[in-house]
Every structure is written in structure tokens, then in C-alpha cells.
């Protein structure tokens, strides 16, 4: 097997590691590409290609995350991870666990960890690497890695999302939610939302967004019901879709270009959180992105009976 073939076999794992550390599709893809360049230039064949490449992509991702943390301090508005529609790494025996680990809720919890804690947690808890492998990957002793893992696990368990419902149950609830949304049915929406539900949007200052996080079932239901009809009038389409391993949707304009990606957190038979990514920089991997400002202007016209601004 050539080096290129070895690398391609491991690419899904490398991307999965990098994405969970970084929360960014573009940065994860760049980290994987840089890993390939390092592998290509490495003079000797590693004893374990998997261990070598995992180490390289982890170290690259840690360095990228450290600089990304500085940029995120000046980010405009709430920051959300880049939406991931398909996780290329598959393990049928752990599919539910892998899906939960890539949820928006889990990635936001990971943001609370230091870069080293985050890397150790991802390698140990998500991909079951041995502490000897983790120590090599992050450049710390096994004892230090065990301590990092304990701290990271403690932080994550304190706020870990608990998706007890089966995937099918979540999908059925999401189907009811999007049907109620398309119909603008406030009562049906309210019945599906947790009392303390929150709706947040991330535009990075590059697209229209909610002026603030919206709290409470009544407020969120009213906002959703109010936008349904104008969106339909301008030809926007809500396409239910798995987003970060959880029920969600892509909102596209009449030309089928994505405007935003929406993810639902579902717990105890209710929607606990709605997270909407509008920042066009975070949607580019989904295809040509709509002009959200133009969509917003058309939406505002559609809300007026005379069709004027």
C-alpha cells in the first residue's frame, strides 16, 4: 500500500479528530492537508501510520486552536461551531456516541476546556486512544495526560448534553417541529419547546441575525411563527437534515443556496435549544452561499402587504 493510500484510509479519522478539537470544518480540512504534507515529507516509514498521523493532526489542531481562541475573543456576537452534515468517520458499534460527541452542545462544552484538555478528551473519550498514544500526541507524560483527562471529563460531565431519546424519537419530534414551523402554528410550536428553550444565531457580523438570544417557549414560538409565511413567499425552503449528528435543517433561498444551518437540541421530549449558523464563512463547505442580506431585504418586503420597503 502506498503512502497516499494509507493516508486516504485514515483521512476520515484525522478529520474527525481535528473537527472535534477545532469546531471548524475549514480549519479541520486545513489541518488534515498539512498532516498529509508532513507525512509525505517524512523520511522514514512510521512504525504505526495511524499513531504517527494522529499525533501530527492533533499537534497541528492544538496550535490552530490556540490562535483561534485569540480571534474568537473579538468575534462579533455569539460563536457557534461550523455545521457538519456528514461525519466521515464511522464506527457502527459507537455511532450514537460519535454523533453525540459532535453535537453543537458538546462542541460548545469543549470550548470551555484548554486546548490540551480538549485534545486529550477527544482522543481518550471519543476515539478510545491509549494514554501512551495520547502522551505522544500532545507531548506530555502519561500521568499528566491522565490528570488532563480527569479535569476535562469533570468539566464535560457537569454540562454534558443527555440525549436519552432514541434517534428515531428525536427525528419524529423534529418532523413535527418543522411541520409546525412551515404552518406558522404557534400553539404546536409552543408544545414542542421546553419552557426555558433558547434560540441563538451566529452571523459573525457578516449576515443578519437575531439581535439577541431569545428565551422561553412563548417568545421563540412567536418568532418562528412570524417568519414562516414571509420565507415561503420569497421561495425559501427549509430542508430537514442531520446537523452535527442531531436533527436540524438547512434554510436555502429560491436558488437552493444555503442561507443558514439550524440545529436542534432535544431532551425529555422537548426542544431545549435552537442554534442557527448564518455566518457565510461557516457555510461555504455546503456549496455556493446565498446573499443573506439580499434574502433579508426580500423577507422584509414580503412581510409588508404592499410589498414595499
Amino acid at each position: 500500500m502506498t503512502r497516499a493510500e494509507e493516508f486516504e484510509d485514515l483521512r476520515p479519522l484525522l478529520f474527525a479528530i481535528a473537527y472535534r478539537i477545532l469546531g471548524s470544518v475549514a480549519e479541520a480540512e486545513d489541518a488534515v492537508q498539512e498532516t498529509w504534507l508532513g507525512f509525505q515529507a517524512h523520511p522514514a516509514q512510521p512504525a504505526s501510520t495511524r499513531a504517527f498521523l494522529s499525533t501530527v493532526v492533533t499537534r497541528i489542531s492544538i496550535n490552530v486552536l490556540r490562535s483561534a481562541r485569540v480571534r474568537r475573543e473579538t468575534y462579533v456576537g455569539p460563536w457557534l461551531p461550523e455545521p457538519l452534515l456528514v461525519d466521515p468517520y464511522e464506527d457502527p458499534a459507537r455511532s450514537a456516541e460519535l454523533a453525540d460527541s459532535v453535537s453543537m452542545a458538546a462542541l460548545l462544552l469543549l470550548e470551555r476546556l484548554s486546548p490540551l484538555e480538549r485534545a486529550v478528551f477527544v482522543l481518550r473519550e471519543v476515539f478510545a486512544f491509549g494514554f501512551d498514544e495520547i502522551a505522544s500526541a500532545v507531548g506530555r507524560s502519561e500521568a499528566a495526560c491522565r490528570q488532563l483527562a480527569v479535569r476535562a471529563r469533570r468539566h464535560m460531565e457537569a454540562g454534558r448534553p443527555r440525549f436519552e431519546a432514541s434517534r428515531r424519537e428525536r427525528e419524529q419530534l423534529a418532523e413535527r417541529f418543522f411541520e409546525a414551523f412551515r404552518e406558522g402554528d404557534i400553539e404546536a410550536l409552543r408544545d414542542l419547546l421546553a419552557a426555558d428553550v433558547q434560540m441563538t444565531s451566529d452571523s459573525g457580523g457578516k449576515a443578519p441575525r437575531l439581535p439577541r438570544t431569545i428565551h422561553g417557549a412563548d417568545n421563540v414560538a412567536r418568532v418562528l411563527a412570524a417568519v414562516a409565511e414571509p420565507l415561503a413567499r420569497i421561495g425559501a425552503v427549509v430542508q430537514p437534515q442531520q446537523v452535527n449528528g442531531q436533527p436540524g435543517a438547512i434554510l436555502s433561498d429560491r436558488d437552493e443556496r444555503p442561507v443558514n444551518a439550524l440545529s436542534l437540541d432535544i431532551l425529555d421530549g422537548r426542544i431545549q435549544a435552537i442554534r442557527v449558523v448564518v455566518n457565510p464563512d461557516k457555510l461555504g463547505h455546503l456549496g455556493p452561499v446565498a446573499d443573506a442580506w439580499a434574502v433579508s431585504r426580500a423577507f422584509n418586503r414580503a412581510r409588508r402587504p404592499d410589498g414595499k420597503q
Side-chain angles (χ1 to χ4, degrees):
M1 184 180 289
T2 67
R3 281 198 175 187
E5 290 170 335
E6 285 185 291
F7 185 84
E8 288 306 315
D9 281 350
L10 290 165
R11 181 187 288 273
L13 171 64
L14 302 177
F15 175 86
I17 291 171
Y19 178 76
R20 286 165 173 80
I21 294 175
L22 295 166
S24 165
V25 172
E27 289 175 347
E29 289 175 342
D30 288 345
V32 172
Q33 180 61 22
E34 189 173 343
T35 300
W36 161 245
L37 295 175
F39 184 43
Q40 201 175 31
H42 194 65
Q45 179 66 23
S48 167
T49 302
R50 178 180 182 272
F52 175 83
L53 293 177
S54 298
T55 293
V56 174
V57 82
T58 297
R59 291 182 178 179
I60 291 170
S61 298
I62 290 172
N63 290 335
V64 172
L65 182 59
R66 284 171 173 154
S67 61
R69 286 285 173 87
V70 175
R71 295 195 302 274
R72 289 172 193 174
E73 289 175 0
T74 58
Y75 193 81
V76 178
W79 180 91
L80 294 174
E82 288 187 14
L84 181 68
L85 302 190
V86 179
D87 186 352
Y89 180 75
E90 297 180 356
D91 182 347
R94 302 175 60 246
S95 58
E97 184 178 344
L98 287 169
D100 289 352
S101 75
V102 83
S103 69
M104 289 276 184
L107 292 175
L108 288 171
L109 280 175
L110 284 169
E111 282 291 304
R112 303 179 186 179
L113 307 181
S114 71
L116 276 179
E117 287 173 338
R118 185 164 180 166
V120 169
F121 183 88
V122 167
L123 293 176
R124 181 62 181 175
E125 300 298 324
V126 180
F127 297 104
F129 277 61
F131 279 109
D132 56 337
E133 297 173 294
I134 297 171
S136 175
V138 302
R140 295 291 189 274
S141 67
E142 288 189 41
C145 288
R146 291 179 186 276
Q147 291 178 340
L148 287 166
V150 168
R151 288 205 302 268
R153 194 180 304 117
R154 187 182 303 126
H155 285 302
M156 292 295 289
E157 288 177 351
R160 180 189 289 275
R162 296 169 292 112
F163 302 118
E164 289 104 340
S166 71
R167 179 171 297 278
R168 183 56 190 153
E169 289 172 331
R170 280 180 266 169
E171 290 173 351
Q172 289 174 339
L173 191 148
E175 288 172 7
R176 291 161 53 202
F177 170 80
F178 288 117
E179 181 179 353
F181 172 67
R182 283 190 288 266
E183 295 177 356
D185 188 335
I186 292 178
E187 293 302 322
L189 287 167
R190 188 185 291 115
D191 288 344
L192 296 169
L193 301 171
D196 58 351
V197 64
Q198 296 185 15
M199 185 163 72
T200 307
S201 66
D202 169 357
S203 74
K206 298 183 177 184
R209 69 173 179 89
L210 297 171
R212 64 187 184 282
T213 297
I214 300 174
H215 299 266
D218 190 64
N219 292 330
V220 172
R222 289 182 181 278
V223 168
L224 290 171
V227 303
E229 186 176 349
L231 285 174
R233 287 179 187 169
I234 65 173
V237 177
V238 176
Q239 179 62 50
Q241 167 89 46
Q242 288 285 309
V243 177
N244 286 76
Q246 306 302 320
I250 303 298
L251 172 67
S252 301
D253 68 4
R254 63 172 62 252
D255 297 317
E256 301 183 351
R257 297 174 300 184
V259 178
N260 65 47
L262 177 152
S263 177
L264 306 176
D265 282 358
I266 297 173
L267 175 66
D268 296 331
R270 293 289 186 275
I271 295 168
Q272 306 289 327
I274 302 172
R275 299 186 176 91
V276 188
V277 178
V278 194
N279 186 338
D281 293 346
K282 296 185 177 184
L283 302 173
H285 61 285
L286 305 181
V289 181
D291 181 341
W293 296 106
V295 172
S296 178
R297 290 192 294 270
F299 171 84
N300 288 328
R301 287 195 298 270
R303 294 176 65 185
R304 296 176 179 272
D306 59 5
K308 298 179 180 178
Q309 290 282 12

